Amino acid sequence: MSPRPDYDTLIVGGGQAGLALGYHLRRAGLRFAILDANKRVGDAWRHRWDSLTLFTPRRYDALPGLPFPGDPDGHPGKDEVAAYLEEYVRRFALPVRLEHQVTAVRPYGDHSDGFRVETTAGSCTAARVVVAAGAFHTPRTPAFASGLAPEVVQLHSSAYRRPEQLPMGEVLVVGAGNTGVQIAEELAGSGRRVRLSAPSLGLALPQRMLGRDLFWWFSLLGFMNVRAGSRLGQRLRGRPDMIIGTDVKRLMRRVERVERVVGAEGPEMLLAGGRRLRPGAVVWATGFRPHYPWLHVPVLDERGAPMHQEGVTGRPGLYFLGLPWQSARGSSVLGWIGRDAAALAGRLTTSASQPGKSLIAP
C-alpha cells in the first residue's frame, strides 16, 4: 500500500476557477493546495491588453462568498479583476502556492492511490487532482504565418497590450471574435488604417437593451445556465461567439473587412479571393489551443483536449474545472463559474470520505 498522500486535493491553476473551488474545499475542511505558475494572484488578467473591460457588470462578476466591489452596474477593467482575486485569496486564507509551475502529473502508487505532482518548486502527492488551468494555453496561429517577412510586425492577441506596440500604417487583424473586433476598434482609433479578416461574425448584441444591461436579460432568461448537452446548448456551441458591446456597423465604417487569410509570402498576405495585402503589422486574434504536455494521464483526445463529462474524467481522482461549456454556457465565465465549483467540491468531499470510490458521472 502506498503511503498517505500529502494532500486530499491539489488544484492546478490559481485563476477564478481554482479559487472558487478552493473556497468550497476550505469550508469542507479538506487538505488541499492551489498551484500557480505566476508571481502574483491575478497575473493572468494583468497581462492582458491595457484597455480590456469585462462585458459583465460587477454584480455578475463575484466568486462565491465575496461580492465584487464598486458600482454593481459598472464594468470592471482587467486590473480590477486581478485585485479582486488577490483579495479573495487573502479574505479566505486560500493556500495558493505561487511560482509553482506544474511540470508533470503522473499516477502515484496503485491505480486508486492518487497522483504525484511535480513542479518547478518541488513535488508532492495528492489523492485527487483538479486541472483548473483554463482552456487558453497556447496561442494558435496558422502554420503559414512563418512565411511572413521579418519586417512585418506580427503578434498574437495574447501579446497585444496597446497600439504603440505596432508601427503606424496599415494593420491587418485576423480573427472574427470579440477579441478581434475590440482590438480592431482600438487600432482604428489610433490613426492606423485597419483591415479585419473576419469571414463570419457572430451575432452582434449591444451592451444594453431596453434600459438594462445585456447580462441582466441573460440572467433573467437563464441563458448562462443553458446546459451543454441540451438541444439549445448544442446549437449554441456550433455557432460563432456573439459579439457583445461593439457597434459592428459603426466599426465597419472605420475598418475594411476582407476575406479569409489563406497564406503569407514575404511581405504579402494572401486572401481567399486571390487578393494580396501588404500590411505593416498583423495581429492574430485566432484563439488558443489546449496544451497539457505535463499531464501524463490518458484523459486527452487526439487533439489534446480533455475527455470529460462535466469535468469528470475516466481516471478516478482527476477532474477539470473552468472549461468552456464544461456543464453550461457560463462554465468558464467569472461570475458563473461558482456553480461548477460547488458541484465539483461536493464530489471531492464525498470522495475524500470514501477512499477508492470512483465518482465517474453516470
Side-chain angles (χ1 to χ4, degrees):
M1 179 179 294
S2 301
R4 186 188 186 198
D6 300 317
Y7 296 96
D8 294 321
T9 302
L10 279 175
I11 302 170
V12 180
Q16 56 262 27
L19 300 185
L21 179 60
Y23 167 85
H24 290 291
L25 298 187
R26 170 68 83 189
R27 289 165 60 89
L30 269 63
R31 295 179 304 119
F32 75 99
I34 303 171
L35 309 177
D36 195 86
N38 292 303
K39 292 183 178 181
R40 289 177 65 188
V41 173
D43 272 354
W45 284 93
R46 290 188 189 90
H47 295 159
R48 302 179 74 178
W49 76 87
D50 292 352
S51 63
L52 175 64
T53 300
L54 271 65
F55 300 133
T56 49
R58 292 180 181 89
R59 68 171 72 251
Y60 300 116
D61 292 329
L63 295 180
L66 183 66
F68 201 103
D71 176 7
D73 294 317
H75 297 255
K78 66 180 181 77
D79 292 336
E80 285 185 72
V81 178
Y84 171 80
L85 296 181
E86 276 195 314
E87 172 60 18
Y88 196 82
V89 170
R90 188 199 67 78
R91 180 73 61 92
F92 299 114
L94 299 181
V96 178
R97 309 289 184 251
L98 294 169
E99 298 186 89
H100 279 58
Q101 182 175 351
V102 172
T103 57
V105 174
R106 309 177 190 276
Y108 172 64
D110 299 333
H111 183 69
S112 61
D113 283 351
F115 306 88
R116 177 174 295 280
V117 179
E118 301 170 13
T119 79
T120 51
S123 64
C124 53
T125 57
R128 287 157 290 279
V129 168
V130 178
V131 180
F136 308 112
H137 305 138
T138 301
R140 182 174 58 209
T141 57
F144 60 74
S146 61
L148 200 58
E151 63 264 26
V152 181
V153 176
Q154 59 172 318
L155 51 81
H156 188 268
S157 59
S158 60
Y160 174 80
R161 298 291 177 270
R162 61 194 70 89
E164 290 73 24
Q165 288 175 279
L166 306 175
M168 291 300 294
E170 182 178 322
V171 181
L172 175 65
V173 178
V174 183
N178 280 289
T179 297
V181 298
Q182 287 182 12
I183 291 176
E185 185 174 46
E186 180 169 81
L187 291 172
S190 70
R192 291 162 173 80
R193 179 180 183 182
V194 180
R195 289 187 168 105
L196 176 65
S197 174
S200 61
L201 288 171
L203 175 66
L205 295 174
Q207 189 67 65
R208 297 184 67 83
M209 299 176 65
L210 301 177
R212 297 280 191 173
D213 191 274
L214 179 65
F215 281 86
W216 184 90
W217 292 105
F218 281 175
S219 180
L220 177 69
L221 299 173
F223 177 75
M224 302 301 287
N225 296 324
V226 172
R227 305 299 292 178
S230 68
R231 181 176 298 178
L232 177 58
Q234 292 174 354
R235 289 179 60 190
L236 291 173
R237 293 178 70 179
R239 295 179 176 179
D241 287 341
M242 292 179 292
I243 305 298
I244 298 175
T246 298
D247 187 336
V248 174
K249 289 184 178 179
R250 177 176 177 270
L251 177 63
M252 292 308 154
R253 292 195 292 267
R254 305 174 69 197
V255 309
E256 179 187 350
R257 185 175 171 187
V258 299
E259 299 91 336
R260 179 170 56 93
V261 174
V262 296
E265 292 181 1
E268 296 185 324
M269 297 291 289
L270 283 60
L271 304 182
R275 186 179 175 190
R276 291 171 177 261
L277 303 178
R278 286 191 170 223
V282 177
V283 177
W284 299 102
T286 43
F288 299 80
R289 60 181 176 84
H291 193 52
Y292 304 93
W294 42 267
L295 189 54
H296 302 290
V297 186
V299 294
L300 305 176
D301 64 19
E302 65 278 1
R303 300 175 295 111
M307 297 183 292
H308 68 95
Q309 184 176 344
E310 298 193 358
V312 182
T313 75
R315 170 58 161 89
L318 184 64
Y319 307 88
F320 285 85
L321 182 64
L323 299 175
W325 285 100
Q326 178 164 308
S327 69
R329 176 66 181 87
S331 286
S332 61
V333 180
L334 180 62
W336 280 268
I337 207 165
R339 176 175 175 171
D340 283 359
L344 180 54
R347 291 181 179 275
L348 294 171
T349 302
T350 302
S351 179
S353 65
Q354 301 177 7
K357 178 178 176 61
S358 171
L359 291 179
I360 302 301

